[in-house]
Amino acid sequence: SDVYKRQICYNVFILGFLVLVTACKNEPSKAETSKPETEAIVKVEPTYWNVKAIAPDGQRLDIKVYNNEGKPFDIKAVQNADQDSFLDVKAFIEGEQLPVKITVSTKPFAPVVAISKKGNTYSISAITQEGEKLEVVGVARFDNVVVIKAVTKKGKFYDVKAISPKEQLNTIKGIKINIQDREMSLKGNSIYAHVKAMHPSDNEAPFLSLIHI
């Protein structure tokens, strides 16, 4: 719908703005450097949202990131402000918060991975009660949005959601700024889309019948 597209355009604008701010953050203005050292700095305590795959029967499956040794670690959506409509998704590995991205791929589905400071990519999977790993991937693209699902061996798609401490649900999605497949390069990896936790939309279900990766 037009309303949903406007929301996506707004979120893409915010993402681009944050990238610009990050690039410029190392150049403080004169006004900033002249502030007294005693001036109070307001800190917002982050809120961590669990990331789960949702089975058709409503069962919530843990989603983990695995390092090179196969050890599992947590994936969380991080809320650093009052707004909860557009959250970063991070992998928490041995004291570090690593970015989670969708990488460019020639396969039917694009892998969702965590990327280390050295450029290593770590796979992300949902875990069933039987211990089966369900790959978490980007399965379809609609304009600037990439639909992310956990995929069973039989090809069934499970929703991937971020769940707040108050049981609010956001949808895990890929967001693109560029129209090309390659969004950017990160530590030697070609990035297809940025992974975010966003407010769900009534239009999400039909995405799977639209433009596939």
Side-chain angles (χ1 to χ4, degrees):
S1 69
D2 291 338
V3 173
Y4 182 72
K5 287 185 177 180
R6 286 197 296 270
Q7 178 187 356
I8 293 300
C9 290
Y10 171 76
N11 288 331
V12 169
F13 169 77
I14 293 296
L15 178 61
F17 177 76
L18 291 175
V19 171
L20 178 62
V21 169
T22 301
C24 299
K25 68 186 296 184
N26 292 327
E27 299 181 9
S29 66
K30 292 181 179 179
E32 289 174 332
T33 55
S34 62
K35 290 180 180 179
E37 294 183 0
T38 56
E39 183 175 338
I41 299 175
V42 178
K43 293 184 178 181
V44 177
E45 289 297 326
T47 300
Y48 298 104
W49 298 42
N50 292 320
V51 176
K52 304 280 186 178
I54 311 296
D57 61 2
Q59 181 185 1
R60 296 177 179 181
L61 308 181
D62 288 339
I63 291 182
K64 299 291 184 179
V65 56
Y66 293 85
N67 66 7
N68 292 334
E69 290 73 40
K71 184 178 179 180
F73 294 90
D74 289 337
I75 297 283
K76 302 279 187 181
V78 184
Q79 181 182 350
N80 287 316
D82 289 337
Q83 72 84 21
D84 57 20
S85 63
F86 197 69
L87 308 179
D88 286 334
V89 177
K90 300 288 186 180
F92 289 73
I93 299 181
E94 296 178 341
E96 294 185 332
Q97 294 187 28
L98 303 184
V100 177
K101 306 289 184 182
I102 303 176
T103 54
V104 175
S105 175
T106 58
K107 296 181 179 180
F109 299 147
V112 178
V113 301
I115 300 177
S116 73
K117 293 180 179 179
K118 294 182 178 180
N120 297 322
T121 58
Y122 301 136
S123 63
I124 296 174
S125 298
I127 312 300
T128 68
Q129 285 187 334
E130 296 74 26
E132 178 187 354
K133 292 182 179 180
L134 311 182
E135 190 177 11
V136 176
V137 291
V139 299
R141 176 180 174 181
F142 180 77
D143 292 338
N144 296 95
V145 175
V146 180
V147 179
I148 293 176
K149 299 287 183 178
V151 184
T152 70
K153 291 181 178 179
K154 295 182 178 180
K156 294 182 178 180
F157 293 155
Y158 290 1
D159 290 340
V160 180
K161 301 286 187 178
I163 305 172
S164 77
K166 296 182 179 180
E167 289 292 300
Q168 178 180 336
L169 269 63
N170 275 10
T171 302
I172 303 296
K173 305 176 185 181
I175 296 296
K176 292 185 64 64
I177 299 175
N178 296 328
I179 60 173
Q180 297 87 357
D181 280 354
R182 185 178 181 274
E183 184 83 7
M184 58 177 286
S185 178
L186 179 62
K187 306 297 182 181
N189 295 281
S190 293
I191 304 304
Y192 184 72
H194 311 276
V195 177
K196 304 292 178 181
M198 301 170 57
H199 282 179
S201 167
D202 294 336
N203 305 60
E204 287 175 6
F207 284 177
L208 297 180
S209 62
L210 298 173
I211 306 172
H212 286 267
I213 292 173

